[in-house]
Amino acid sequence: MIKTPTNMENRHCTLPDHSVTTAHFAPRGDSRELVPSSSPTQEELKECLLFSPDDGRIWLNDQRMLLLHTSSFGALRREIIERLGSQQARGLFTRTGYLSGARDARLIRERWPQASAAAIFAAGTHLHTLEGMTRVEPLHFKFDADCGFYEGEFLWHHSCEADEHLTGYGVGQDPACWTELGYAIGFVSGLFGRMVIFREVECRGMGHANCRVVGKTAEQWGDVESDLAYLNASGGPAATPAPAVSSFTPASAPPQGPEPIGASAAFNAANLSLQRVAPTPATVLISGESGVGKELFARQLHRMSPRHHAPFVALNCAAIPDNLIEAELFGVDRGAYTGASHSRPGRFERAQGGTLFLDEITCLSLAGQSKLLRALQEREIERVGGVQAIKVDVRVVAACNVDLQQAVARGDFREDLFYRLNVYPIALPPLRERRDDIPLLINAFLQRLCRDYQRTPAGLTMRALKTLLRYDFPGNIRELQNLVERGLIASEEGQPIDLVHLFRNERLPEQGYSIDREGGLTVNPLSEPPAATLEPLLDTLTQHDQSFSIDGLEARLINEAMQQSAGNLAAAARAVGLSRAQFAYRLKKHHQQG
Ligand SMILES: [Zn+2]
């Protein structure tokens, strides 16, 4: 029911589901047919890497990555070998690598659904190299998915795992590149749709100059029991190489309506709290910024509770005028006030046996607060104008922005009610604190909206995705959902959603970092190039300018502005305080003169 971290099926992003099936996947290929320029090229794969140092995240497309010291990887590896023995350790690292490989396979298929099969297979070698594990040199590979045939041979140069193994244990009898082998198996099997087993027939850890790996399908090898054993966490041979899937799914009500989506640690923590409190009758207070999905969580709580067969009733206290809220909550008895011509039950009674969700609880008047407190304590209510107490069996879930305690301090909210509500508080984090969930959420919204709008966009452009990954989302999940919807509407059918489709006047993150041609980090303007400022322009001009003429100065100014804004006319115009049209006119004039 709740989408949890776990399963790589849940982790994909940026494209609706139908585009990531094997439908586009050409079933035959040969490394000899490879053209270096065919997509995805090494350059295109490098563009998937985004460093977000101020935010503390590194992304490979939509996957969060980690820059880990090889020496600490080596230390971890040695400690695991010593504690579990090398067979168990080998299995553990093989499965870890398998997950990485399978995720990268998914990335390639989603991002380049139209790429040739051979290019997609080759991309795995580039990614494995880019991620710093080893430099992969394909010797040859050939496959035919229809006949279930795969054969490939690769050289691994300066494998990081072999180096760490050599540091710890010296030259040994057995191949040492377990993680990397798992990666190859995961990547190729993930693409091929059936088990392809790789074996290291030579390894630097055994004294060879390079590692040499050979891959074939399980059927072609024949005897793969021991290979499969490393892929199966439970120890026995694995029928299918399913990575461990854990699930918080409670076996209660069937899902109805949208559910909270997430995989981040912050999301899981909130989710665990929800599961713990759901079976109890306790009152729950959900706090969080506007748009974080409080009502969705409240509905989820209700679904997971023993009350799920009874009604879930929601009331936003901010949406009802002060003088009507008591009648709305507790109902009205005939003759209570002028105009109350007939009796009607309030939300409390309508939620009988179920859950009452009170959003924006801080907006409840002091009189309403007293009545609510009584309802919680005595489990009975009185209708407005009524004389008799009505028993209610209702679980109250209240929600507030982060300001409830301030309201208590100001005397606007009853302290006793606050404590009565605050029995079990659940704080929902803002989206900017659970960025790892952004790809999941984008994907879920895209899928739903594409279905509703009967659309099939080609996902998001890389810079649109990168900007979303770094945007602050003051309006949280609701804002993300609105942006995706806006992007879908504004983009052309069959075309990817780009920045201009998503954002209007929002404050965009300034820049990201990616790797440049030399492999260093380079500033990577995410939206349009930042406007050059006038001062550095003047500095540059005076540095190598001896003769001043107004015309010459203007020409140089125009040129410098163009260069500094990377040819973006609008940005260059802004830098020198001209309109785009004025700037274009002068540019043309000087070009004609020059
Ligand atoms: Zn090796």
Side-chain angles (χ1 to χ4, degrees):
M1 289 173 53
I2 295 178
K3 309 291 192 302
T4 53
T6 65
N7 176 338
M8 57 189 175
E9 296 301 312
N10 285 343
R11 294 287 311 189
H12 65 272
C13 166
T14 73
L15 285 168
D17 228 6
H18 52 79
S19 61
V20 299
T21 59
T22 46
H24 298 296
F25 184 65
R28 267 178 298 277
D30 192 315
S31 51
R32 285 172 304 184
E33 298 158 6
L34 262 180
V35 189
S37 62
S38 55
S39 261
T41 62
Q42 265 175 292
E43 284 304 315
E44 286 171 321
L45 290 168
K46 278 186 212 163
E47 278 172 22
C48 291
L49 193 59
L50 171 72
F51 287 83
S52 197
D54 303 333
D55 169 50
R57 283 180 176 82
I58 303 169
W59 297 91
L60 184 68
N61 197 44
D62 60 348
Q63 307 271 332
R64 187 168 168 186
M65 304 297 280
L66 178 65
L67 201 58
L68 178 75
H69 300 79
T70 52
S71 56
S72 72
F73 169 69
L76 171 75
R77 196 173 173 279
R78 285 194 294 282
E79 188 165 340
I80 289 178
I81 291 171
E82 263 129 55
R83 295 210 176 190
L84 301 180
S86 58
Q87 288 306 295
Q88 292 269 11
R90 179 171 172 178
L92 205 148
F93 283 102
T94 308
R95 292 190 294 278
T96 308
Y98 181 97
L99 268 179
S100 300
R103 286 197 171 159
D104 281 355
R106 176 142 226 146
L107 184 166
I108 301 290
R109 271 216 321 240
E110 286 173 10
R111 199 84 234 155
W112 290 276
Q114 309 299 339
S116 80
I120 288 179
F121 274 105
T125 66
H126 297 323
L127 275 184
H128 207 181
T129 304
L130 179 66
E131 287 164 24
M133 292 302 285
T134 180
R135 182 167 73 78
V136 185
E137 180 189 344
L139 296 177
H140 61 87
F141 60 86
K142 192 174 178 180
F143 57 91
D144 185 335
D146 290 340
C147 319
F149 174 85
Y150 178 93
E151 215 168 69
E153 187 174 355
F154 302 84
L155 281 187
W156 289 346
H157 299 272
H158 51 74
S159 146
C160 139
E161 202 169 4
D163 278 2
E164 287 306 319
H165 195 85
L166 284 170
T167 306
Y169 299 100
V171 172
Q173 299 289 313
D174 297 307
C177 304
W178 307 330
T179 317
E180 291 153 35
L181 204 67
Y183 181 98
I185 298 173
F187 188 90
V188 176
S189 302
L191 282 179
F192 202 56
R194 69 171 76 202
M195 204 47 174
V196 174
I197 297 290
F198 281 82
R199 287 182 184 165
E200 243 191 313
V201 294
E202 291 175 12
C203 180
R204 250 161 61 77
M206 295 160 70
H208 298 104
N210 292 304
C211 305
R212 180 185 297 267
V213 292
V214 173
K216 294 178 194 173
T217 64
E219 292 78 13
Q220 286 165 258
W221 284 112
D223 168 29
V224 289
E225 290 294 292
S226 57
D227 304 271
L228 292 177
Y230 295 117
L231 293 167
N232 188 349
S234 62
T240 49
V245 173
S246 70
S247 174
F248 295 115
T249 306
S252 61
Q256 306 153 317
E259 296 150 30
I261 294 166
S264 64
F267 174 84
N268 285 330
N271 230 352
L272 275 173
S273 302
L274 205 66
Q275 282 159 42
R276 198 154 290 154
V277 76
T280 74
T283 304
V284 174
L285 180 65
I286 301 178
S287 66
E289 289 178 13
S290 175
V292 293
K294 286 171 289 210
E295 181 165 347
L296 215 54
F297 266 83
R299 285 183 186 276
Q300 187 69 10
L301 178 74
H302 173 70
R303 275 198 287 263
M304 290 157 63
S305 77
R307 299 172 169 267
H308 63 265
H309 292 301
F312 175 90
V313 175
L315 178 71
N316 185 342
C317 301
I320 310 266
D322 261 3
N323 54 340
L324 296 180
I325 197 149
E326 283 178 58
E328 199 53 47
L329 264 180
F330 303 107
V332 181
D333 258 351
R334 190 154 68 158
Y337 48 81
T338 323
S341 56
H342 56 273
S343 302
R344 62 179 169 89
R347 306 276 172 126
F348 252 104
E349 284 175 75
R350 280 195 260 156
Q352 191 67 266
T355 306
L356 176 62
F357 174 61
L358 299 175
D359 203 357
E360 308 266 16
I361 191 80
T362 5
C363 295
L364 198 59
S365 67
L366 283 166
Q369 291 174 29
S370 311
K371 289 201 163 191
L372 177 60
L373 183 64
R374 182 179 161 205
L376 289 171
Q377 280 171 342
E378 315 290 333
R379 308 204 154 273
E380 59 182 36
I381 56 154
E382 252 173 45
R383 286 181 178 174
V384 176
V387 282
Q388 107 198 62
I390 301 169
K391 284 278 169 205
V392 282
D393 168 28
V394 171
R395 176 193 220 167
V396 171
V397 177
C400 60
N401 284 319
V402 272
D403 55 357
L404 188 54
Q405 260 166 319
Q406 289 162 20
V408 173
R410 282 195 310 268
D412 292 340
F413 201 85
R414 289 183 64 133
E415 198 173 9
D416 44 6
L417 177 59
F418 171 73
Y419 287 117
R420 193 69 191 70
L421 291 172
N422 201 34
V423 176
Y424 196 84
I426 296 179
L428 295 184
L431 185 53
R432 63 184 170 279
E433 285 171 22
R434 41 176 286 214
R435 281 184 201 279
D436 306 17
D437 291 335
I438 293 174
L440 273 181
L441 288 162
I442 293 175
N443 196 49
F445 294 146
L446 257 185
Q447 279 192 35
R448 191 190 314 154
L449 290 164
C450 285
R451 206 169 46 236
D452 293 352
Y453 285 40
Q454 302 272 305
R455 286 279 309 273
T456 47
L460 297 169
T461 63
M462 202 61 219
R463 61 177 183 173
L465 176 64
K466 283 180 173 177
T467 306
L468 286 173
L469 288 173
R470 303 186 63 247
Y471 179 61
D472 260 347
F473 293 103
N476 288 298
I477 296 173
R478 192 180 299 135
E479 182 179 14
L480 174 59
Q481 183 171 2
N482 292 345
L483 288 177
V484 172
E485 184 167 7
R486 182 198 284 172
L488 185 68
I489 295 170
S491 63
E492 297 291 328
E493 173 63 19
Q495 295 298 311
I497 298 173
D498 201 358
L499 271 183
V500 293
H501 307 124
L502 290 168
F503 294 98
R504 294 280 189 276
N505 303 309
E506 288 82 359
R507 228 183 100 95
L508 294 186
E510 279 169 10
Q511 64 209 2
Y513 297 82
S514 53
I515 47 177
D516 59 22
R517 217 164 272 280
E518 286 77 42
L521 278 192
T522 183
V523 175
N524 167 17
L526 284 172
S527 45
E528 54 183 309
T533 56
L534 201 52
E535 287 81 343
L537 281 182
L538 287 173
D539 283 350
T540 327
L541 289 174
T542 46
Q543 269 165 22
H544 48 77
D545 193 52
Q546 289 85 32
S547 61
F548 282 98
S549 77
I550 295 294
D551 239 21
L553 195 61
E554 186 179 86
R556 211 157 278 138
L557 192 64
I558 299 272
N559 276 334
E560 288 287 339
M562 279 301 276
Q563 271 177 28
Q564 290 206 15
S565 55
N568 182 311
L569 211 61
R574 266 203 308 282
V576 292
L578 293 174
S579 76
R580 194 179 178 285
Q582 288 167 333
F583 188 87
Y585 168 77
R586 282 175 169 75
L587 184 67
K588 199 174 163 203
K589 182 181 82 178
H590 288 295
H591 269 238
Q592 278 166 354
Q593 286 173 358

